[in-house]
Amino acid sequence: MGAHGLLENEPESIDYTVHEAWNEATNVYLLVILVSFGLLIYARKNKRKIMRIFSLPPTVGINQEPNFYDSLQKVRLRQQLEMYSIARKYDQHQQQSQADSVQLSME
C-alpha cells in the first residue's frame, strides 16, 4: 500500500508542476504582450526620435538634400532676377521709343 500511495501522489505532483509552469509561462507571455503594446504606443508617439537614432549620420563628402527654405529662397531670387530683367527690357524699349519719337519730332 505504501508503494501504491507513492504512485498515487506522483501524478498529482507532476500535474501540479505542469499547471504551475503553465501559469508562469502565461504570465511571462502576458508581460511580453503588455510591454510590446507599450513600446508600440511609444514608437508611434516618438517616431521622429526613433528614426533619428537609427538613421546614418551625414557624411562630409556627400551633399545633403537641400533644405526646403533654401530652395524657396533660390526660387524667390530667380523670380526677382526675372522680374528685374523684364523691367530692364521694358525700360530700354521705352527709352528707344522715346528717342525715336524725339528724333521724328525734330525732323
Side-chain angles (χ1 to χ4, degrees), residues 39-57:
L39 287 174
L40 181 67
I41 292 171
Y42 178 80
R44 283 188 177 177
K45 288 182 180 179
N46 300 313
K47 185 185 286 187
R48 290 187 181 171
K49 286 182 183 178
I50 294 171
M51 292 305 292
R52 195 176 342 147
I53 291 170
F54 290 112
S55 65
L56 294 174

Side-chain angles (χ1 to χ4, degrees), residues 44-87:
R44 283 188 177 177
K45 288 182 180 179
N46 300 313
K47 185 185 286 187
R48 290 187 181 171
K49 286 182 183 178
I50 294 171
M51 292 305 292
R52 195 176 342 147
I53 291 170
F54 290 112
S55 65
L56 294 174
T59 56
V60 178
I62 300 173
N63 288 337
Q64 295 180 357
E65 189 174 321
N67 190 4
F68 173 75
Y69 293 107
D70 290 341
S71 61
L72 187 64
Q73 286 177 347
K74 288 179 183 178
V75 168
R76 283 182 156 175
L77 181 61
R78 188 179 307 123
Q79 288 175 344
Q80 288 174 350
L81 287 172
E82 287 175 0
M83 292 301 292
Y84 177 75
S85 68
I86 290 171

